[in-house]
């Protein structure tokens, strides 16, 4: 199969430089290149060291990751060369000897490094998401064999528009002057003007910094063969490296996991909104195909490729909730606090009241019991952290956008049948019901660490939980009815007693 692949043949005897290789997307990218392009020469991976972990330790931790368990040839991991560095340091913190190695040997560059925290200070977000890619671009300009530089951005750009095209929209501020200005002021002043800078099109510093990076890269790319890929919310693998692979709680993964355990039962969102999800293998396959296409066709114009589903295969939050609930019932976790369930509301008062009664009140009771037994009270603090984290998603859960994704189909039309199969990113063929069953099984196995052999035991527990729920509801209903009957009798008996 590999010999029939134009993409695999292209990567043969070529070396690749990857940033963000220890992240969720980065690991899947490394694994896919090693497995699908067996003749690839070297993968140079930028890794940040620390006082407790040198570069050899960081490399060893990566190659021991479970994502590589499905490689046909484990010896392929020998092609990984770790490069010590840091996206926030001048010259990316790369030594002179390593820099010369990259300049002489690298043909393809993937930049998937990013700070994805929504609550980051603006200056911190700029360091990784803007200044890092800008420095990487400068390094690319020195590379002797460079054929493609693929920068991974985000679909969540220009959110003041309902339909977001595959283009870089003109900014009302010069991006270079803006960055220079932000670098010249102190942190306190930056914080005081952050809200004004973000405006209506950027709900947080993450989307602002990613948008600014695109504008600067476009302005300064010169002769660098740059292409930009914009994934939406990256979720579990549909097929590769194995169906359901996930090792990050980012996006809806944490919410589905919390709902499956009965830990989260109410979500603040507009259920009618379209939510844009993209399986990680679809995003990675598009990134690889874009690199191949960029090198083969050598386009003069910068092209944006959106990796999303809202344009060709949309799904609403309500559909996500129902499909994930169906999948959780079919594949429940082996341990749960309560029956898996989830309700969506965009009414703030309803959300606050129900969160108190269904989350915080039980948490206070559990903490009280824990303290009586000499254990540490943790449930209330845990809920506080969870709801603080989910509050940052509020803007995205109450708005919807249509991210145009036509350029990926143009690339696909130029790929061979073998490559279309091996590097599949056609979201039109994605069956959401099947995918969510895969997704939930992945959460169960890789996030909750439930072995598949425990599924029969988990299904029995789920039945007991539902019977307990039915019993408690019936008990409450009976008590309520008896209370009403008692009060009704009292009302009827009082006038009669007075007459007697």
């Amino acid at each position: 199969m590999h010999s029939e692949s134009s993409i695999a043949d292209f990567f043969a005897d070529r070396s690749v430089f990857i940033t963000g290789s220890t992240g969720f997307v980065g690991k899947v990218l490394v694994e896919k290149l090693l497995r699908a392009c067996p003749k690839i020469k070297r993968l140079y991976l930028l890794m940040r060291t620390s006082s407790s972990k040198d570069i050899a330790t960081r490399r060893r931790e990566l190659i021991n990751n479970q994502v590589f368990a499905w490689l046909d040839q484990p010896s392929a991991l020998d092609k990984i060369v770790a490069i010590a560095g840091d996206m926030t340091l001048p010259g990316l913190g790369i030594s002179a000897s390593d820099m010369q190695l990259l300049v002489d040997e690298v043909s393809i560059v993937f930049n998937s490094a990013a700070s994805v925290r929504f609550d980051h200070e603006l200056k911190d977000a700029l360091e990784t998401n803007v200044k890092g890619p800008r420095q990487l671009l400068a390094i690319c300009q020195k590379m002797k064999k460079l054929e493609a530089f693929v920068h991974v951005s985000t679909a969540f750009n220009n959110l003041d528009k309902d339909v977001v095209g595959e283009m870089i929209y003109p900014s009302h501020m010069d991006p270079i002057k803006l960055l220079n200005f932000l670098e010249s002021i102190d942190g306190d002043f930056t914080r005081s003007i952050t809200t004004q800078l973000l405006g209506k099109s950027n709900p947080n510093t993450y989307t602002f910094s990613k948008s600014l990076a695109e504008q600067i890269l476009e302005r300064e790319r010169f002769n660098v063969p740059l292409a930009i890929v914009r994934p939406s919310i990256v979720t579990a693998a549909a097929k590769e490296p194995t169906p359901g692979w996930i090792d990050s709680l980012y996006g809806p993964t944490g919410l589905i996991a919390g709902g499956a355990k009965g830990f989260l039962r109410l979500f603040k969102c507009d259920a009618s909104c379209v939510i844009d999800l993209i399986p990680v293998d679809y995003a990675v396959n598009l990134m690889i195909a874009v690199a191949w296409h960029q090198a083969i066709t050598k386009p003069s114009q910068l092209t944006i490729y959106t990796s999303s589903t809202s344009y060709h295969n949309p799904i609403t939050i309500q559909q996500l909730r129902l499909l994930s609930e169906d999948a959780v019932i079919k594949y429940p976790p082996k341990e749960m606090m309560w029956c898996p369930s989830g309700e969506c509301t965009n009414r703030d008062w309803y959300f606050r009241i129900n969160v108190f009664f269904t989350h915080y009140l039980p948490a206070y009771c559990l903490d009280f019991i824990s303290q009586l037994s000499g254990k540490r009270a943790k449930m209330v603090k845990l809920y506080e952290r969870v709801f603080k984290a989910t509050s940052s998603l509020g803007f995205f859960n109450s708005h919807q956008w249509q991210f145009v994704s036509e350029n990926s189909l143009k690339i696909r039309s130029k790929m061979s049948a073998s490559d279309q199969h091996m590097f599949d990113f056609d979201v039109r063929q994605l069956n959401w019901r099947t995918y969510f069953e895969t997704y939930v099984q992945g959460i169960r196995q890789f996030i909750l660490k439930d072995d598949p052999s425990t599924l029969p035991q988990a299904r029995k527990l789920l039945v007991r939980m539902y019977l307990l729920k039915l019993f408690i509801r019936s008990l409450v209903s009976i008590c309520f009815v008896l209370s009403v009957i008692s009060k009704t009798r009292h009302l009827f008996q009082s006038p009669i007693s007075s007459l007697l």
Side-chain angles (χ1 to χ4, degrees):
M1 180 181 288
H2 294 307
S3 62
E4 301 171 3
S5 169
S6 298
I7 295 179
D9 289 343
F10 164 75
F11 277 94
D13 300 319
R14 284 179 168 85
S15 293
V16 178
F17 180 46
I18 302 174
T19 68
S21 59
T22 57
F24 176 46
V25 173
K27 287 197 289 282
V28 176
L29 173 62
V30 171
E31 193 277 341
K32 178 70 176 192
L33 286 171
L34 291 175
R35 180 165 44 82
C37 308
K39 295 182 181 179
I40 201 166
K41 187 177 180 182
R42 290 281 186 275
L43 294 185
Y44 296 103
L45 311 182
L46 187 72
M47 294 184 177
R48 185 166 51 191
T49 59
S50 66
S51 58
S52 59
K53 294 182 180 181
D54 60 12
I55 195 66
T57 303
R58 293 303 307 276
R59 181 186 182 278
R60 185 166 57 253
E61 287 178 345
L62 177 67
I63 65 175
N64 288 333
N65 190 277
Q66 191 177 10
V67 73
F68 299 111
W70 300 278
L71 272 178
D72 297 330
Q73 296 181 328
S75 60
L77 294 170
D78 296 337
K79 297 180 180 182
I80 292 178
V81 178
I83 302 292
D86 189 326
M87 290 294 287
T88 65
L89 296 178
L92 304 187
I94 300 173
S95 69
S97 58
D98 283 343
M99 184 67 76
Q100 193 60 51
L101 180 65
L102 298 177
V103 168
D104 291 339
E105 295 296 326
V106 169
S107 300
I108 309 294
V109 174
F110 292 99
N111 177 40
S112 65
S115 167
V116 296
R117 284 183 55 182
F118 290 172
D119 59 348
H120 243 177
E121 295 281 350
L122 181 55
K123 275 190 171 292
D124 295 331
L126 292 176
E127 287 291 332
T128 302
N129 296 344
V130 180
K131 294 168 71 174
R134 192 185 191 191
Q135 293 189 90
L136 180 56
L137 179 67
I139 294 171
C140 287
Q141 289 167 346
K142 301 175 185 177
M143 290 180 173
K144 301 172 183 178
K145 299 180 180 179
L146 186 67
E147 296 177 90
F149 172 26
V150 178
H151 171 70
V152 182
S153 184
T154 176
F156 294 94
N157 270 325
N158 309 286
L159 300 184
D160 55 332
K161 298 170 175 60
D162 294 329
V163 180
V164 182
E166 292 178 294
M167 60 180 289
I168 296 178
Y169 291 89
S171 173
H172 63 281
M173 293 180 284
D174 183 292
I176 307 296
K177 291 181 179 178
L178 175 59
L179 181 61
N180 292 337
F181 168 70
L182 291 172
E183 290 178 328
S184 68
I185 60 178
D186 61 29
D188 290 337
F189 186 44
T190 304
R191 281 188 287 273
S192 70
I193 63 172
T194 294
T195 302
Q196 184 180 352
L197 284 172
L198 298 185
K200 294 181 180 180
S201 59
N202 294 289
N204 52 54
T205 57
Y206 170 71
T207 61
F208 175 82
S209 60
K210 297 294 278 186
S211 176
L212 183 60
E214 287 189 1
Q215 296 170 43
I216 291 176
L217 292 178
E218 180 192 35
R219 180 78 67 88
E220 298 184 341
R221 69 186 179 96
F222 302 122
N223 61 341
V224 171
L226 172 69
I228 296 176
V229 176
R230 290 176 176 171
S232 56
I233 302 171
V234 183
T235 52
K239 304 171 188 174
E240 302 172 294
T242 193
W245 165 253
I246 181 80
D247 73 347
S248 167
L249 287 170
Y250 175 71
T253 304
L255 300 180
I256 295 174
K261 299 281 280 186
F263 179 77
L264 291 174
R265 297 186 289 282
L266 187 65
F267 308 98
K268 194 169 188 299
C269 58
D270 184 343
S272 65
C273 283
V274 170
I275 183 170
D276 202 306
L277 311 176
I278 189 72
V280 63
D281 45 339
Y282 280 55
V284 164
N285 286 338
L286 177 60
M287 290 162 56
I288 295 171
V290 165
W292 162 78
H293 183 263
Q294 188 76 8
I296 296 299
T297 62
K298 298 178 173 59
S300 58
Q301 300 296 317
L302 170 62
T303 307
I304 311 292
Y305 300 88
T306 302
S307 181
S308 62
T309 53
S310 60
Y311 195 67
H312 291 291
N313 192 359
I315 181 173
T316 65
I317 294 176
Q318 177 71 351
Q319 289 174 307
L320 180 156
R321 185 184 72 83
L322 294 175
L323 290 174
S324 58
E325 279 188 9
D326 288 348
V328 167
I329 290 171
K330 196 171 181 178
Y331 304 101
K334 69 175 183 180
E335 295 176 349
M336 57 190 82
M337 290 175 56
W338 192 241
C339 297
S341 63
E343 181 184 357
C344 297
T345 180
N346 59 359
R347 293 172 293 179
D348 190 62
W349 66 268
Y350 180 84
F351 177 77
R352 289 176 181 274
I353 292 172
N354 278 273
V355 160
F356 175 76
F357 283 106
T358 62
H359 294 79
Y360 280 106
L361 190 59
Y364 278 115
C365 294
L366 289 172
D367 279 355
F368 179 69
I369 295 171
S370 296
Q371 288 176 326
L372 289 178
S373 59
K375 297 179 181 178
R376 185 168 63 92
K378 60 181 180 179
M379 291 303 298
V380 172
K381 289 184 178 180
L382 183 58
Y383 272 123
E384 287 175 347
R385 288 200 298 269
V386 168
F387 284 115
K388 181 181 178 181
T390 56
S391 66
S392 65
L393 303 174
F395 179 83
F396 301 94
N397 291 339
S398 58
H399 295 76
Q400 66 177 20
W401 302 270
Q402 193 175 46
F403 300 113
V404 177
S405 53
E406 292 290 358
N407 287 336
S408 60
L409 297 183
K410 293 177 183 177
I411 284 187
R412 189 176 185 277
S413 68
K414 299 175 183 178
M415 294 165 58
S416 66
S418 174
D419 280 336
Q420 288 181 8
H421 174 74
M422 191 184 304
F423 299 94
D424 182 24
F425 51 80
D426 188 0
V427 299
R428 297 171 300 180
Q429 308 303 318
L430 185 63
N431 182 295
W432 285 116
R433 179 169 293 278
T434 302
Y435 174 70
F436 271 97
E437 290 192 1
T438 299
Y439 194 175
V440 166
Q441 289 180 79
I443 290 173
R444 188 182 190 278
Q445 182 175 354
F446 303 116
I447 297 296
L448 302 180
K449 307 299 182 184
D450 290 352
D451 191 272
S453 64
T454 63
L455 193 55
Q457 168 193 343
R459 286 171 174 160
K460 290 178 182 178
L461 174 61
L462 180 64
V463 171
R464 289 198 296 270
M465 281 290 186
Y466 273 115
L467 290 174
L468 177 61
K469 180 180 179 180
L470 181 62
F471 172 76
I472 293 175
R473 282 189 172 181
S474 301
L475 187 62
V476 170
S477 299
I478 291 170
C479 290
F480 176 76
V481 170
L482 291 176
S483 175
V484 171
I485 292 173
S486 175
K487 288 184 178 180
T488 304
R489 281 180 178 175
H490 178 72
L491 288 173
F492 279 108
Q493 287 174 354
S494 294
I496 297 172
S497 299
S498 61
L499 290 173
L500 296 174

